[in-house]
Amino acid sequence: MTDSDILNLKTADPFADASSSIGAVQEGLIHIRIQQRNGRKTLTTVQGISEDYDKRKLLKACKKEFACNGTVVQHPEHGEVIQMQGDQRQNMYQFLLKVGIAVEDQIKVHGF
């Protein structure tokens, strides 16, 4: 077996299908909020990510990195909103900066 036979060891970029804005930062603000559920349970929501990015692929990468569950919901006013279990505000803030989706002044963290 040669090295070329092993195909599943290549890494996949979840953001490779972003349109021509690769390397470019998005225009508007990204809002990261926390919502209290029942008891100590919380929910982190992220809205305002550009339509150039596939939010399901972003969520998949976030879920793997933060070890949490989440979903993408359709909001009538805000469009697609990412929801994640737990307080992931700082994790999501750092992730968006690291990936290069937004710069520091485009991300607004709300809550407590």
Side-chain angles (χ1 to χ4, degrees):
M1 196 185 256
T2 64
D3 288 335
S4 63
D5 292 338
I6 302 173
L7 298 176
N8 63 345
L9 296 179
K10 296 180 181 177
T11 59
D13 183 14
F15 314 110
D17 67 337
S19 65
S20 63
S21 65
I22 293 178
V25 181
Q26 74 165 29
E27 296 295 317
L29 284 175
I30 296 176
H31 297 276
I32 304 173
R33 293 186 173 90
I34 188 167
Q35 295 176 355
Q36 188 73 34
R37 288 180 44 217
N38 48 356
R40 293 175 38 190
K41 307 288 185 183
T42 57
L43 189 69
T44 303
T45 60
V46 182
Q47 74 174 60
I49 296 177
S50 174
E51 296 298 321
D52 296 339
Y53 297 100
D54 185 2
K55 291 173 187 63
R56 297 194 194 309
K57 289 186 179 182
L58 273 172
L59 178 63
K60 187 173 182 178
C62 291
K63 285 168 47 173
K64 189 170 188 172
E65 188 167 321
F66 308 153
C68 70
N69 199 5
T71 186
V72 176
V73 296
Q74 186 66 34
H75 192 275
E77 189 176 327
H78 305 296
E80 287 185 327
V81 176
I82 296 175
Q83 290 184 343
M84 292 178 287
Q85 290 180 349
D87 186 0
Q88 306 295 337
R89 290 176 294 172
Q90 290 304 314
N91 291 339
M92 193 64 187
Y93 178 79
Q94 296 299 326
F95 180 80
L96 292 172
L97 292 177
K98 181 178 79 170
V99 172
I101 293 177
V103 292
E104 230 175 287
D105 59 340
Q106 290 180 319
I107 303 173
K108 191 92 165 157
V109 179
H110 304 275
F112 307 137

